[in-house]
Amino acid sequence: ITTALIDTAAITTAKIGTAAVGTLKIGGNAATVPQFATGTANNVSVTNSSYSSAIVSTNFTFSGLDSNESAGVIIMVNLKHGGNSSGGPNGTATLSIFKGGSILESLSYTYTNSGSSQSLFAFTTQANGQITYDVKVIGVESGRTYTASHVANIIILGAKR
């Protein structure tokens, strides 16, 4: 048989060389290919007492979903915060993940003159299309500014279930 059109088939064992499948379900769940994006910024100097412009920014595009569907998206951020270049006292700052311009998740932390390292995770959903995810930092002491070097990594993974 070179071509066959079968509406419903029950096959106990099959050997398939190449297959084109619209939706593959294994155990009742659709098998999908995850979407993935990353971004890295090295030696970004930030001087601020309000939110910095994005330390790292990444566009994440989803495609292949039905118009009424959305998929789960996990965002992972690692930030290495350098010491305060002015040599001032320890301070606090807030690391935030933005989705399309709005804060998705934040973490307040204390940094020292020797620096620190922070990790932040967030979960959201996204439909088809492109959304920008940003990593930003704010110094939270009233009227105080600081200058520090930052290294930031963002990893975004999304999949439809």
Side-chain angles (χ1 to χ4, degrees):
I1 299 173
T2 58
T3 302
L5 180 59
I6 302 170
D7 187 38
T8 303
I11 302 169
T12 303
T13 303
K15 181 179 178 185
I16 301 171
T18 302
V21 178
T23 301
L24 174 64
K25 291 188 177 184
I26 300 174
N29 292 316
T32 60
V33 176
Q35 313 267 340
F36 183 76
T38 63
T40 299
N42 291 303
N43 299 318
V44 177
S45 183
V46 176
T47 301
N48 68 322
S49 57
S50 61
Y51 270 112
S52 63
S53 52
I55 292 175
V56 63
S57 182
T58 301
N59 292 322
F60 188 65
T61 303
F62 237 111
S63 60
L65 299 173
D66 290 339
S67 61
N68 63 342
E69 290 183 309
S70 62
V73 178
I74 297 172
I75 303 97
M76 298 161 279
V77 172
N78 180 265
L79 175 74
K80 292 181 183 176
H81 184 132
N84 187 344
S85 65
S86 64
N90 298 345
T92 59
T94 299
L95 167 65
S96 295
I97 299 172
F98 284 71
K99 175 187 177 185
S102 298
I103 294 176
L104 182 62
E105 192 68 52
S106 292
L107 171 72
S108 293
Y109 63 94
T110 300
Y111 61 89
T112 66
N113 283 330
S114 60
S116 64
S117 181
Q118 308 301 322
S119 294
L120 180 60
F121 298 84
F123 175 81
T124 188
T125 58
Q126 182 175 324
N128 282 332
Q130 179 175 286
I131 295 181
T132 301
Y133 292 85
D134 298 315
V135 176
K136 297 182 180 184
V137 174
I138 183 174
V140 295
E141 291 86 1
S142 177
R144 179 175 172 197
T145 61
Y146 70 94
T147 302
S149 177
H150 296 75
V151 177
N153 297 293
I154 184 170
I155 301 170
I156 305 171
L157 177 65
K160 175 187 133 182
R161 179 179 161 92

